[in-house]
Amino acid sequence: MTGPRIAFAGVKKAFGKRQVLNGIDLAVAPGESLVIIGGSGTGKSVTLKCLLGLIPIDAGSIRVDGQEVAGLKGAALDQHRTRFGMLFQGGALFDSLPVWRNISFALGGSVAERRAAAIDNLARVGLGPEVADLKPSELSGGMQKRVALARAIAARPPIILFDEPTAGLDPITAAVINNLIRTLVTDLAITAITITHDMTTVHSVADRVAMIHAGTIIWHGARAELEGCDNPYVRQFITGSAEGPIKVPGVR
Amino acid sequence: MIRLLAAIGGPVVAALASIGRLTRFAVTALLRVVQPPWYPAQVAQQMLTIGWLSLPVVGLTAVFTGSALAQQIFIGGSRFNAASTVPAVTVIGVVRELGPVLGGLMVAGRVASAMAAELGTMRVTEQIDALVTLRTDPYRWLVGPRILAAILVMPALVLVSNALGVMGGWLLATQRLGFNSAQYLATTARYLEVDDVVSSLVKAAVFGFFIALMGCYHGYHSGGGAAGVGKATTNAVVSSFILILLSNLIITVIVFGS
């Protein structure tokens, strides 16, 4: 039996007096697609950024393939990041570069090779080569997400992180993105962590689901167990009810 | 008493912390400038943006200022029969002070704000985080090329600014004040010294460094959405103006004070 690909143990992170992560415990098996759900400001994005080493943790441990992430610096941290692709919430495409250079940004080789690789990855996300020379600002929101997805998979990393992949998209485009993520995760045998509020994404993408609340994982289980779950926080979240234990800040 | 000390100490500690952060940022950026890998295409792009695209505004500023300076020297000099000093004082004034300082301020207004806005937008839209996840050092890719380009291109820009400033004075003096063209140019050349030009170029390089440093620093540490980017832009312009004027005074005192 192999160990988890990613393991969080007692991870804590505070910004000033605000404790954002308050002891995250979580494990993701190789090839598994985990979706983390939770309200705004509960620490979902911070969890991903800690995993990437973009934000240092205050306490606890994050291990990837058995290697401790906390304390990594310089070349070791760069080496750690080669395992990851990341789809940022807004795409985070570089405005000044054409699409093909965005996708091939971290790839080596000649210009022709990198361009060919970019066009190949565009095809994987359902876009044609005519998009390659456009600037990100010339694309719709859905196309930008697809290009960002192509960039995330371009180096064929074993792990991909998806930060709110369908945020701001219409339902049809969101469904296309969800299907793309599920297909890529399956075809490329990727370990994936997706954070979202969108229950459609949960049903389309997840093998397992974890819910984060107040910086702690309060429930986790297989996707099939989600509907039958009796945790009041999870019930409130998946039904989208205003009534329940989760209080929206500033709302009485 | 404790309250008073806290009221004084808080801002002092905050100011010292800011100076420390800025110094660390500057040292990190300068180390990236001298260590490979380099990104020559990024440097060339920035040289074009900072230098070539600033030429119209810097050139116009120089021509108008040189002309106005010549007019004022003529008026002032006429009061004690020294109107003939127009070419000499104009060239010294333009090359030593007005060319680099006004050129620096104009470039700071145009470039430091643009850099802060661009990097600030990249920060709030997570493009800088994306760079890091793609194993690219933002200091090397974003900050280093801007600082290097500004240091390289500002002396050239100020050289052109100086020439246009002197030309502005010459135009006004010959067309309006009755100076002989050949005599004006000969006097200008006679009074212009190598030290004047060298100090002007040194100032320009220092101003270029501060302009890019302030633009990048405030943009890189921008936060809080559109309002944060706006604040970073304002801070970049104001701080680069102050550093240009302060460093100009220091260089002038060091070079010409004795």
Side-chain angles (χ1 to χ4, degrees), chain A residues 19-44:
Chain A
Q19 191 72 40
V20 177
L21 302 184
N22 199 16
I24 294 280
D25 295 298
L26 196 61
V28 188
E32 185 176 66
S33 174
L34 173 77
V35 174
I36 302 176
I37 56 174
S40 300
T42 51
K44 302 189 301 293

Side-chain angles (χ1 to χ4, degrees), chain B residues 2-21:
Chain B
I2 295 287
R3 276 188 191 170
L4 179 68
L5 284 174
I8 297 167
V12 170
V13 170
L16 289 173
S18 294
I19 292 168
R21 269 198 304 275

Side-chain angles (χ1 to χ4, degrees), chain B residues 2 7 14 19 33 35 41 68 73 98 110 122 128 160 171 191 203 209 228-229 238 246 254:
Chain B
I2 295 287
I19 292 168
V33 167
Q35 292 169 342
I73 294 165
L98 294 180
R110 208 186 79 80
M122 290 186 77
I128 292 180
V160 175
L171 259 178
Y191 278 90
K203 284 180 178 181
F209 170 70
V229 175
V238 171
L246 177 64
I254 290 171

Side-chain angles (χ1 to χ4, degrees), chain A residues 123-172:
Chain A
R124 276 201 171 270
V125 297
L127 293 173
E130 67 280 2
V131 176
D133 292 312
L134 298 178
K135 288 282 179 70
S137 58
E138 297 175 275
L139 306 175
S140 68
M143 288 170 86
Q144 286 186 19
K145 276 279 166 72
R146 289 199 207 196
V147 172
L149 193 51
R151 183 175 69 181
I153 62 169
R156 298 293 181 267
I159 305 166
I160 301 192
L161 310 176
F162 301 96
D163 185 356
E164 304 278 7
T166 57
L169 300 179
D170 66 78
I172 296 167

Side-chain angles (χ1 to χ4, degrees), chain A residues 49 52 54 78 81-82 84 88-89 92-95 101 105-106 151, chain B residues 42 118 121-122 125-136 141:
Chain A
K49 289 185 176 179
L52 281 167
L54 291 173
D78 276 349
R81 287 178 181 141
T82 59
F84 293 91
F88 287 88
Q89 188 171 345
L93 296 172
F94 307 127
D95 303 322
R101 286 199 60 200
F105 194 87
R151 183 175 69 181
Chain B
Q42 289 286 97
E118 186 181 2
T121 304
M122 290 186 77
T125 58
E126 297 183 303
Q127 289 179 53
I128 292 180
D129 284 343
L131 268 180
V132 176
T133 61
L134 293 166
R135 279 87 64 198
T136 302
W141 173 257

Side-chain angles (χ1 to χ4, degrees), chain B residues 101-170:
Chain B
V101 171
L102 290 182
L105 293 177
M106 296 310 285
V107 174
R110 208 186 79 80
V111 172
S113 55
M115 284 182 185
E118 186 181 2
L119 267 65
T121 304
M122 290 186 77
R123 168 62 71 195
V124 299
T125 58
E126 297 183 303
Q127 289 179 53
I128 292 180
D129 284 343
L131 268 180
V132 176
T133 61
L134 293 166
R135 279 87 64 198
T136 302
D137 182 349
Y139 282 92
R140 220 180 273 290
W141 173 257
L142 295 172
V143 181
R146 281 166 172 76
I147 289 180
L148 180 61
I151 291 173
L152 291 176
V153 88
M154 271 300 286
L157 203 56
V158 164
L159 210 56
V160 175
S161 167
N162 289 345
L164 289 173
V166 171
M167 192 194 82
W170 166 80

